[in-house]
């Protein structure tokens, strides 16, 4: 997962890659630290998905632009368009299914 720290980096990733998963976390979020490795492991099944990670405390303009005020959060983009988002309680089975469905639009 590539670390980003600005809105322009997220927009650039979304423009350059067909499918982008953005994982948002916070500095004191123990759930975020537990979920991130599971998301990374899940993404091994999807080599076409470019993954980025942002700390909303370090990049508040990203959370403001995409209205991410609760972490952990996952936003998934296809060709720069948000396809879905998951926040707080992220179930890996649901995330996997949503990714599979969204990748049909690549």
């Amino acid at each position: 997962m590539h670390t980003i720290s600005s809105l322009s980096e997220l927009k650039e990733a979304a423009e350059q890659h067909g499918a982008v998963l953005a994982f948002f976390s916070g500095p004191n979020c123990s759930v975020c630290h537990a979920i991130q490795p599971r998301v990374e492991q899940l993404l091994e099944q999807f080599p076409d998905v470019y993954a980025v990670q942002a700390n909303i405390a370090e990049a508040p303009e990203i959370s403001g632009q995409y209205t991410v005020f609760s972490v952990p959060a996952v936003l998934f983009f296809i060709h720069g368009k948000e396809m879905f988002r998951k926040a707080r309680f992220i179930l890996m089975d649901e995330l996997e299914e949503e990714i599979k469905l969204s990748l049909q639009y690549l």
Side-chain angles (χ1 to χ4, degrees):
M1 213 173 267
H2 306 282
T3 301
I4 59 170
S5 57
S6 71
L7 181 58
S8 62
E9 287 177 291
L10 178 55
K11 287 184 176 186
E12 183 178 317
E15 290 172 6
Q16 291 182 354
H17 303 277
V20 174
L21 181 137
F23 182 85
F24 296 93
S25 63
N28 299 320
C29 175
S30 59
V31 175
C32 300
H33 298 300
I35 288 285
Q36 185 173 351
R38 295 181 64 203
V39 172
E40 289 174 342
Q41 183 179 20
L42 173 67
L43 289 175
E44 290 175 5
Q45 299 176 50
F46 304 102
D48 294 337
V49 176
Y50 184 78
V52 297
Q53 184 272 336
N55 181 328
I56 64 168
E58 295 173 5
E61 71 277 5
I62 297 174
S63 62
Q65 179 71 33
Y66 289 99
T67 60
V68 175
F69 301 113
S70 175
V71 290
V74 169
L75 275 67
F76 195 82
F77 301 90
I78 296 288
H79 300 298
K81 179 181 182 244
E82 183 179 329
M83 299 300 286
F84 69 87
R85 66 173 56 203
K86 301 279 183 193
R88 289 195 148 218
F89 303 104
I90 301 170
L91 301 175
M92 292 300 116
D93 292 341
E94 285 182 12
L95 182 59
E96 180 179 2
E97 285 304 311
E98 293 266 6
I99 292 171
K100 285 179 184 177
L101 289 172
S102 296
L103 287 175
Q104 295 175 4
Y105 296 101
L106 266 182

